[in-house]
Amino acid sequence: MADRIVAPKSDIARVSHVSSFAQYERLYQAALTDPAQFWSECAQRVTWFHPFDCVTSQNFAKAEVAWFLGGKLNASFNCVDRHLATRGDQTAVLWVGDEPGTYRHISYRELHEQVCRLANVLRAYGVNKGDRVCIYLPMIPDAVYAMLACARIGAVHSVVFAGFSAQSLRDRIVDADCRVVLTANEGMRGGKTIPLKQTVDEAIANLPVHTVLVSQRTEAMVPMRVGRDRWLADEMPKQRAYCPVEWMDSEDALFVLYTSGSTGKPKGQLHTTGGYLVYAAYTHELVFDWRPGDIHFCAADVGWVTGHSYIVYGPLCNGATTVLFESTPLYPDASRYWQVIDDIQATIFYTAPTALRALLRFGDEPVKKYQRTSLRVLGSVGEPINPEVWQWYHDVVGDKRCAVVDTWWQTETGGILISALPGATPCKPGSATFPLPGVQPVLVDEQGKELLGNGVSGNLCLASSWPGQARTILNDHARFQQTYFAMYPGLYFTGDGCRRDEDGYYWITGRVDDVLNVAGHRLGTAEIESALVSHAYCAEAAVVGFPHELKGQGIYAYVIAGKSADGVSTADIVAALKQAVRKVISPIATPDRIQVVAGLPKTRSGKIMRRILRKIAEGNYGELGDITTLAEPAVVEQIVQGHQAAKWPTG
Ligand code: PRX
């Protein structure tokens, strides 16, 4: 059956930056024919203190790319100062607090003052250009000030999602060698308080962190260690409301952001200043069809790359009003997003399929209670969006009036690479559609042979660099080279599978490596396994994903109990192991299902056959394939029986 095609709306197209598919194709062709010219023009959207003299240099064999070489700029200047003359009184950050009805408008002028004061606080506590600063803050304006304050003085921020455990936070602080940490006494989310300062105290015990700057989000008193911990509210007023900006080289580091890979240790993706900022601004304008007056509501957290690129850097570089949403889609009820959208007259809304799936369960009524007439563009990110959910987003949330853009990208890519454009692209629900101008996707088979033409499926790679590409993994360039450039020489490998259909539309099919995408959160199976075996009840673990109605993928753990678990009930083992994962990583990594097994299917060389475990977790016992090569084929039967006996709900 032919896929349904949803044409761009004519009233959106009329005023869009890219207003027809033919125009998109022309742009795409222009970027392909003369990339240097295309990106050089694109780079003019940021203010350079000194122009670049070379657009790009790329060597995928060595995993070395650079953009806008010789150029000097500052991301904080671009996101704040340069708007003061024309937009000083416009709202830069519109903070939506956890409690319904809590709004705070921060103008560009105020943003400038706060960023400057905080930058001066950082300087006063010894932060210099190139130093790494850890930001473990909830969704409050201080988080935005902190990122831009770092950028202002050339410090490299490492934002850690405020849902990570003390252990995860500690690992990231150690890896980046941060000496200064910003946090809050507590966070507020969905009516609950989150003890952030306490987590920081635990995380930095015996580390050389000399300064902890604490925002006061709630009334709660927290222990403050004399000489180390300081309230931001005391420190900022002491500082000048002006701080000069550091002239950064285009290739100087802007931030590091940790993400999970197929091995245990999270990877610190390093992004640099010029290329990242140009790419965030370019994609924000094109994909969301941003124009002056828009209220841009990206519901992500600043702890993820989506928050970096589409709450902070892209929108603010373009002079937009960007929304900082502290709450959850379900607090106090399933109408929260739509109520906020009406209250603030948001024109652009960007969220993850997981949130939409959760809301869809409540039906149309919570949506229809609100007008949503301000909306024009609806975006989706983080995981494949099921065609039914896409359709609901379009028909119900967008009243068949709004453009829906499914945006594919990664922490490593810095910004969106494959997406529809609101006024130009006929959409197929469930497909991210086409690459942006300047982006060259390639599909390859297992042997690395390029799959040409349409109607093909393979591994998704990129044939050449784009400005937003991560430059390295902090402290581990060899791993960067190995992970992304070694598998298919001459190409960047994304880790995703993808189909290019008969009409050339791209359909992302999910990860092909040992990475899970759980409720839009990226988690390595190895990371979860190592958290499980950190508990004495677990001798060995193998983690795979399984289809989950709400989260897209759920986490299925097969564990072999350790000696210390002798005599302990299965229920207690399972509870203890879930708790261990919450503590070591974060509640977001808690396995949905844990099956205690006597053995794991291994090849004779000792490699765990995850393919088999995945099939069992899905309940596809008939598709286990050849198991005769296993060291002990009998374990498979036992595992199948255990899975059946557990009677997991389907779906
Ligand atoms: O598997 C893809 C999936 O999320 C991965 C990247 O995760 P992360 O680095 O955490 O960044 C998420 C936000 C950009 C990708 O390798 N992914 C992201 N967007 C989509 C997607 N899968 C399908 N469709 C998307 N639109």
Side-chain angles (χ1 to χ4, degrees):
M1 198 184 75
D3 294 298
R4 206 185 103 106
I5 299 218
V6 181
K9 322 290 177 239
S10 52
D11 53 335
I12 292 182
R14 213 175 312 118
V15 289
S16 288
H17 294 291
V18 184
S19 57
S20 68
F21 198 66
Q23 192 191 346
Y24 158 75
E25 285 181 310
R26 276 196 304 277
L27 271 175
Y28 192 84
Q29 210 47 50
L32 205 58
T33 314
D34 191 350
Q37 174 66 19
F38 176 82
W39 289 119
S40 176
E41 271 174 35
C42 197
Q44 302 316 317
R45 63 185 63 239
V46 312
T47 303
W48 297 87
F49 297 144
H50 184 279
F52 49 88
D53 42 46
C54 167
V55 175
T56 182
S57 112
Q58 309 182 10
N59 181 340
F60 274 13
K62 292 187 176 161
E64 284 173 5
V65 299
W67 283 87
F68 311 124
L69 290 90
K72 302 267 184 206
L73 77 167
N74 183 286
S76 183
F77 179 88
N78 271 282
C79 291
V80 189
D81 305 45
R82 70 166 173 160
H83 304 308
L84 291 177
T86 50
R87 298 191 158 102
D89 295 323
Q90 182 197 307
T91 302
V93 177
L94 202 174
W95 182 64
V96 180
D98 192 46
E99 272 315 299
T102 318
Y103 297 103
R104 210 179 124 207
H105 290 255
I106 295 145
S107 67
Y108 272 98
R109 207 180 309 288
E110 190 184 346
L111 179 66
H112 179 254
E113 181 183 331
Q114 302 295 346
V115 169
C116 283
R117 287 190 192 278
L118 185 41
N120 285 327
V121 173
L122 293 174
R123 281 222 165 111
Y125 285 100
V127 177
N128 289 311
K129 182 177 170 184
D131 291 348
R132 274 80 51 217
V133 171
C134 178
I135 300 177
Y136 186 71
L137 278 167
M139 290 288 285
I140 57 175
D142 287 350
V144 179
Y145 305 156
M147 292 165 77
L148 294 171
C150 287
R152 194 164 191 92
I153 61 172
V156 181
H157 59 71
S158 166
V159 183
V160 177
F161 172 59
F164 275 117
S165 69
Q167 182 63 51
S168 295
L169 175 61
R170 182 181 178 89
D171 292 346
R172 286 157 176 75
I173 290 173
V174 169
D175 188 73
D177 191 19
C178 300
R179 305 297 170 101
V180 173
V181 178
L182 286 103
T183 191
N185 58 343
E186 290 184 324
M188 284 295 297
R189 201 155 178 272
K192 297 196 187 82
T193 53
I194 305 151
L196 300 179
K197 173 64 167 58
Q198 189 187 318
T199 305
V200 168
D201 287 341
E202 197 182 321
I204 64 175
N206 305 318
L207 292 186
V209 170
H210 58 71
T211 304
V212 178
L213 297 166
V214 187
S215 295
Q216 187 169 4
R217 172 62 186 91
T218 67
E219 296 303 313
M221 292 307 296
V222 290
M224 297 287 280
R225 180 183 291 186
V226 178
R228 187 195 70 179
D229 305 346
R230 329 226 164 215
W231 293 105
L232 262 186
D234 293 339
E235 298 298 319
M236 286 175 57
K238 288 190 213 154
Q239 296 294 333
R240 277 177 76 201
Y242 178 72
C243 171
V245 296
E246 197 72 42
W247 281 35
M248 303 298 285
D249 191 274
S250 179
E251 281 300 323
D252 279 339
L254 177 60
F255 66 84
V256 55
L257 183 58
Y258 287 84
T259 187
S260 297
S262 39
T263 53
K265 199 168 162 274
K267 303 187 282 241
Q269 300 291 338
L270 189 93
H271 283 280
T272 56
T273 310
Y276 171 81
L277 193 65
V278 166
Y279 199 70
Y282 160 65
T283 50
H284 169 253
E285 180 165 317
L286 219 67
V287 173
F288 300 104
D289 200 27
W290 176 79
R291 66 178 94 114
D294 271 331
I295 308 285
H296 177 90
F297 178 8
C298 166
D301 192 286
V302 289
W304 311 117
V305 74
T306 307
H308 282 58
S309 302
Y310 301 113
I311 295 178
V312 181
Y313 288 108
L316 294 177
C317 187
N318 286 334
T321 294
T322 191
V323 175
L324 193 65
F325 178 65
E326 191 183 30
S327 197
T328 80
L330 294 173
Y331 182 73
D333 59 40
S335 280
R336 186 65 192 276
Y337 277 161
W338 328 120
Q339 181 220 329
V340 169
I341 285 167
D342 275 9
D343 283 357
I344 65 174
Q345 292 293 291
T347 52
I348 301 166
F349 179 61
Y350 193 31
T351 191
T354 291
L356 297 173
R357 283 193 295 266
L359 293 172
L360 204 155
R361 290 211 301 190
F362 294 87
D364 300 355
E365 196 267 337
V367 185
K368 292 191 166 159
K369 251 174 43 194
Y370 293 89
Q371 304 289 317
R372 292 157 285 110
T373 45
S374 55
L375 288 172
R376 189 177 80 250
V377 178
L378 301 172
S380 164
V381 60
E383 34 171 343
I385 179 163
N386 353 12
E388 317 77 67
V389 177
W390 192 102
Q391 205 67 56
W392 182 76
Y393 204 21
H394 175 268
D395 292 357
V396 179
V397 175
D399 274 329
K400 302 187 181 166
R401 231 179 7 84
C402 299
V404 172
V405 291
D406 171 13
T407 65
W408 174 84
W409 59 297
Q410 315 177 293
T411 305
E412 293 87 336
T413 71
I416 297 162
L417 295 191
I418 302 181
S419 172
L421 300 181
T425 315
C427 289
K428 290 189 184 186
S431 162
T433 74
F434 300 101
L436 299 192
V439 173
Q440 293 177 51
V442 169
L443 300 185
V444 296
D445 67 14
E446 295 293 333
Q447 283 70 47
K449 194 161 93 32
E450 183 173 347
L451 302 164
L452 298 167
N454 291 339
V456 290
S457 289
N459 289 343
L460 178 62
C461 296
L462 293 148
S464 71
S465 184
W466 61 98
Q469 183 169 25
R471 302 298 194 255
T472 191
I473 292 174
L474 190 66
N475 306 323
D476 203 348
H477 194 70
R479 188 170 172 212
F480 185 67
Q481 198 271 339
Q482 190 60 34
T483 309
Y484 305 106
F485 300 92
M487 181 92 102
Y488 305 116
L491 301 174
Y492 164 86
F493 174 46
T494 65
D496 279 333
C498 181
R499 175 164 69 91
R500 188 165 52 222
D501 75 9
E502 277 64 26
D503 302 318
Y505 283 73
Y506 287 83
W507 299 74
I508 308 299
T509 49
R511 301 289 306 195
V512 294
D513 51 9
D514 290 324
V515 170
L516 304 180
N517 194 328
V518 179
H521 299 308
R522 179 168 159 183
L523 298 162
T525 51
E527 242 178 305
I528 306 171
E529 286 162 5
S530 101
L532 287 164
V533 298
S534 73
H535 195 286
Y537 285 177
C538 182
E540 207 175 337
V543 166
V544 296
F546 70 97
H548 190 287
E549 198 184 14
L550 272 187
K551 303 197 227 176
Q553 260 189 321
I555 303 173
Y556 199 110
Y558 298 90
V559 303
I560 300 177
K563 271 261 161 288
S564 338
D566 282 355
V568 181
S569 74
T570 305
D572 287 345
I573 296 175
V574 168
L577 294 184
K578 284 190 178 180
Q579 191 50 36
V581 177
R582 295 170 75 87
K583 185 135 179 53
V584 176
I585 307 177
S586 159
I588 59 180
T590 314
D592 297 275
R593 297 170 182 180
I594 296 183
Q595 183 180 338
V596 181
V597 296
L600 290 166
K602 291 186 182 162
T603 59
R604 293 197 184 100
S605 59
K607 189 171 168 310
I608 295 176
M609 294 295 283
R610 287 167 192 283
R611 182 179 50 79
I612 294 174
L613 293 175
R614 254 181 242 127
K615 292 288 174 202
I616 299 175
E618 290 164 11
N620 287 327
Y621 312 134
E623 297 175 20
L624 299 184
D626 183 14
I627 57 167
T628 52
T629 55
L630 293 179
E632 290 176 82
V635 297
V636 174
E637 186 49 37
Q638 288 169 9
I639 297 174
V640 168
Q641 280 169 9
H643 183 271
Q644 279 171 326
K647 293 201 173 52
W648 303 113
T650 51

mmCIF file of all heavy atoms in Angstrom, residues 305-306 381-384 406-411 496 508 511 517 522, ligand 1:
data_model
loop_
_atom_site.group_PDB
_atom_site.id
_atom_site.type_symbol
_atom_site.label_atom_id
_atom_site.label_comp_id
_atom_site.label_asym_id
_atom_site.label_seq_id
_atom_site.Cartn_x
_atom_site.Cartn_y
_atom_site.Cartn_z
ATOM 1 N N VAL A 305 21.270 17.074 24.544
ATOM 2 C CA VAL A 305 21.734 17.923 23.441
ATOM 3 C C VAL A 305 20.589 18.747 22.856
ATOM 4 O O VAL A 305 20.786 19.870 22.392
ATOM 5 C CB VAL A 305 22.457 17.086 22.362
ATOM 6 C CG1 VAL A 305 21.474 16.272 21.532
ATOM 7 C CG2 VAL A 305 23.321 17.978 21.489
ATOM 8 N N THR A 306 19.376 18.213 22.908
ATOM 9 C CA THR A 306 18.237 18.965 22.371
ATOM 10 C C THR A 306 18.085 20.293 23.107
ATOM 11 O O THR A 306 17.816 21.332 22.500
ATOM 12 C CB THR A 306 16.939 18.134 22.483
ATOM 13 O OG1 THR A 306 17.185 16.870 21.866
ATOM 14 C CG2 THR A 306 15.777 18.810 21.795
ATOM 15 N N VAL A 381 11.442 14.535 18.239
ATOM 16 C CA VAL A 381 12.870 14.192 18.282
ATOM 17 C C VAL A 381 13.173 13.077 19.268
ATOM 18 O O VAL A 381 12.456 12.899 20.244
ATOM 19 C CB VAL A 381 13.715 15.428 18.696
ATOM 20 C CG1 VAL A 381 13.348 15.955 20.063
ATOM 21 C CG2 VAL A 381 15.218 15.122 18.661
ATOM 22 N N GLY A 382 14.225 12.351 18.998
ATOM 23 C CA GLY A 382 14.789 11.452 20.001
ATOM 24 C C GLY A 382 14.588 9.984 19.727
ATOM 25 O O GLY A 382 15.325 9.146 20.231
ATOM 26 N N GLU A 383 13.570 9.638 18.972
ATOM 27 C CA GLU A 383 13.278 8.236 18.691
ATOM 28 C C GLU A 383 12.313 8.202 17.517
ATOM 29 O O GLU A 383 11.691 9.215 17.195
ATOM 30 C CB GLU A 383 12.659 7.552 19.921
ATOM 31 C CG GLU A 383 11.808 8.513 20.657
ATOM 32 C CD GLU A 383 10.959 7.932 21.768
ATOM 33 O OE1 GLU A 383 10.752 6.718 21.837
ATOM 34 O OE2 GLU A 383 10.475 8.750 22.533
ATOM 35 N N PRO A 384 12.187 7.029 16.909
ATOM 36 C CA PRO A 384 11.231 6.954 15.800
ATOM 37 C C PRO A 384 9.825 7.282 16.301
ATOM 38 O O PRO A 384 9.442 6.885 17.403
ATOM 39 C CB PRO A 384 11.337 5.487 15.354
ATOM 40 C CG PRO A 384 12.667 5.014 15.854
ATOM 41 C CD PRO A 384 12.901 5.765 17.127
ATOM 42 N N ASP A 406 9.509 15.691 11.864
ATOM 43 C CA ASP A 406 10.183 14.632 12.622
ATOM 44 C C ASP A 406 11.664 14.829 12.351
ATOM 45 O O ASP A 406 12.109 14.716 11.211
ATOM 46 C CB ASP A 406 9.684 13.273 12.122
ATOM 47 C CG ASP A 406 10.479 12.112 12.684
ATOM 48 O OD1 ASP A 406 11.250 12.308 13.641
ATOM 49 O OD2 ASP A 406 10.325 10.990 12.155
ATOM 50 N N THR A 407 12.419 15.142 13.407
ATOM 51 C CA THR A 407 13.813 15.558 13.219
ATOM 52 C C THR A 407 14.762 14.482 13.701
ATOM 53 O O THR A 407 14.743 14.105 14.870
ATOM 54 C CB THR A 407 14.079 16.854 14.015
ATOM 55 O OG1 THR A 407 13.945 16.580 15.414
ATOM 56 C CG2 THR A 407 13.096 17.958 13.640
ATOM 57 N N TRP A 408 15.606 14.001 12.824
ATOM 58 C CA TRP A 408 16.593 12.988 13.220
ATOM 59 C C TRP A 408 17.966 13.623 13.400
ATOM 60 O O TRP A 408 18.439 14.351 12.536
ATOM 61 C CB TRP A 408 16.707 11.861 12.184
ATOM 62 C CG TRP A 408 17.819 10.933 12.567
ATOM 63 C CD1 TRP A 408 17.746 9.897 13.441
ATOM 64 C CD2 TRP A 408 19.188 11.020 12.156
ATOM 65 N NE1 TRP A 408 18.994 9.323 13.597
ATOM 66 C CE2 TRP A 408 19.890 9.996 12.815
ATOM 67 C CE3 TRP A 408 19.884 11.869 11.295
ATOM 68 C CZ2 TRP A 408 21.254 9.778 12.642
ATOM 69 C CZ3 TRP A 408 21.248 11.670 11.131
ATOM 70 C CH2 TRP A 408 21.918 10.620 11.796
ATOM 71 N N TRP A 409 18.563 13.327 14.533
ATOM 72 C CA TRP A 409 19.942 13.762 14.788
ATOM 73 C C TRP A 409 20.457 13.090 16.037
ATOM 74 O O TRP A 409 19.790 12.208 16.599
ATOM 75 C CB TRP A 409 20.034 15.284 14.857
ATOM 76 C CG TRP A 409 19.189 15.979 15.906
ATOM 77 C CD1 TRP A 409 17.821 15.992 15.992
ATOM 78 C CD2 TRP A 409 19.658 16.802 16.986
ATOM 79 N NE1 TRP A 409 17.425 16.776 17.058
ATOM 80 C CE2 TRP A 409 18.524 17.284 17.675
ATOM 81 C CE3 TRP A 409 20.930 17.190 17.416
ATOM 82 C CZ2 TRP A 409 18.630 18.113 18.794
ATOM 83 C CZ3 TRP A 409 21.037 18.030 18.513
ATOM 84 C CH2 TRP A 409 19.883 18.476 19.189
ATOM 85 N N GLN A 410 21.643 13.475 16.501
ATOM 86 C CA GLN A 410 22.298 12.819 17.642
ATOM 87 C C GLN A 410 23.128 13.835 18.431
ATOM 88 O O GLN A 410 23.464 14.900 17.891
ATOM 89 C CB GLN A 410 23.284 11.757 17.141
ATOM 90 C CG GLN A 410 22.777 10.859 16.056
ATOM 91 C CD GLN A 410 23.838 9.896 15.582
ATOM 92 O OE1 GLN A 410 24.838 10.293 14.983
ATOM 93 N NE2 GLN A 410 23.646 8.614 15.850
ATOM 94 N N THR A 411 23.502 13.451 19.638
ATOM 95 C CA THR A 411 24.409 14.297 20.420
ATOM 96 C C THR A 411 25.651 14.619 19.578
ATOM 97 O O THR A 411 26.154 15.741 19.589
ATOM 98 C CB THR A 411 24.836 13.559 21.706
ATOM 99 O OG1 THR A 411 23.656 13.167 22.407
ATOM 100 C CG2 THR A 411 25.673 14.441 22.607
ATOM 101 N N ASP A 496 22.845 4.010 13.561
ATOM 102 C CA ASP A 496 21.423 3.784 13.286
ATOM 103 C C ASP A 496 21.226 2.980 12.010
ATOM 104 O O ASP A 496 22.002 3.102 11.060
ATOM 105 C CB ASP A 496 20.691 5.124 13.108
ATOM 106 C CG ASP A 496 20.333 5.761 14.441
ATOM 107 O OD1 ASP A 496 20.161 5.019 15.421
ATOM 108 O OD2 ASP A 496 20.234 6.992 14.499
ATOM 109 N N ILE A 508 14.190 6.063 9.843
ATOM 110 C CA ILE A 508 15.170 5.571 10.816
ATOM 111 C C ILE A 508 14.549 4.359 11.510
ATOM 112 O O ILE A 508 13.431 4.444 12.032
ATOM 113 C CB ILE A 508 15.494 6.647 11.879
ATOM 114 C CG1 ILE A 508 15.890 7.973 11.216
ATOM 115 C CG2 ILE A 508 16.568 6.154 12.851
ATOM 116 C CD1 ILE A 508 17.110 7.947 10.345
ATOM 117 N N ARG A 511 18.634 1.759 16.573
ATOM 118 C CA ARG A 511 20.072 1.521 16.694
ATOM 119 C C ARG A 511 20.431 0.117 16.214
ATOM 120 O O ARG A 511 19.687 -0.836 16.431
ATOM 121 C CB ARG A 511 20.488 1.654 18.166
ATOM 122 C CG ARG A 511 20.195 2.985 18.790
ATOM 123 C CD ARG A 511 21.042 4.105 18.316
ATOM 124 N NE ARG A 511 22.456 3.860 18.428
ATOM 125 C CZ ARG A 511 23.385 4.823 18.335
ATOM 126 N NH1 ARG A 511 23.032 6.090 18.165
ATOM 127 N NH2 ARG A 511 24.659 4.530 18.427
ATOM 128 N N ASN A 517 17.289 2.974 23.227
ATOM 129 C CA ASN A 517 16.667 4.287 23.249
ATOM 130 C C ASN A 517 15.370 4.144 24.037
ATOM 131 O O ASN A 517 14.345 3.731 23.521
ATOM 132 C CB ASN A 517 16.405 4.748 21.817
ATOM 133 C CG ASN A 517 16.082 6.221 21.776
ATOM 134 O OD1 ASN A 517 15.493 6.749 22.718
ATOM 135 N ND2 ASN A 517 16.469 6.892 20.715
ATOM 136 N N ARG A 522 19.088 7.845 25.787
ATOM 137 C CA ARG A 522 20.029 6.923 25.164
ATOM 138 C C ARG A 522 20.854 6.223 26.228
ATOM 139 O O ARG A 522 21.474 6.874 27.058
ATOM 140 C CB ARG A 522 20.900 7.782 24.268
ATOM 141 C CG ARG A 522 21.939 7.065 23.549
ATOM 142 C CD ARG A 522 22.466 8.031 22.511
ATOM 143 N NE ARG A 522 23.758 7.629 22.106
ATOM 144 C CZ ARG A 522 24.494 8.321 21.251
ATOM 145 N NH1 ARG A 522 24.046 9.454 20.760
ATOM 146 N NH2 ARG A 522 25.666 7.880 20.909
HETATM 147 O O1 PRX B 1 18.771 6.321 17.298
HETATM 148 C C1 PRX B 1 18.640 7.682 16.979
HETATM 149 C C2 PRX B 1 17.622 8.311 17.912
HETATM 150 O O2 PRX B 1 18.353 8.863 18.981
HETATM 151 C C3 PRX B 1 19.761 8.643 18.778
HETATM 152 C C4 PRX B 1 20.531 9.826 19.288
HETATM 153 O O3 PRX B 1 20.324 9.963 20.668
HETATM 154 P P1 PRX B 1 20.899 11.206 21.433
HETATM 155 O O4 PRX B 1 22.338 11.369 21.094
HETATM 156 O O5 PRX B 1 20.535 11.043 22.846
HETATM 157 O O6 PRX B 1 20.152 12.448 20.814
HETATM 158 C C5 PRX B 1 18.767 12.519 20.921
HETATM 159 C C6 PRX B 1 18.299 13.876 20.468
HETATM 160 C C7 PRX B 1 18.858 14.342 19.187
HETATM 161 C C8 PRX B 1 19.904 8.443 17.298
HETATM 162 O O7 PRX B 1 21.078 7.735 16.976
HETATM 163 N N1 PRX B 1 16.851 9.365 17.245
HETATM 164 C C9 PRX B 1 16.976 10.700 17.415
HETATM 165 N N2 PRX B 1 16.042 11.350 16.688
HETATM 166 C C10 PRX B 1 15.323 10.420 16.018
HETATM 167 C C11 PRX B 1 15.852 9.155 16.379
HETATM 168 N N3 PRX B 1 15.364 8.017 15.859
HETATM 169 C C12 PRX B 1 14.342 8.130 14.990
HETATM 170 N N4 PRX B 1 13.783 9.289 14.618
HETATM 171 C C13 PRX B 1 14.230 10.465 15.105
HETATM 172 N N5 PRX B 1 13.659 11.608 14.747
#
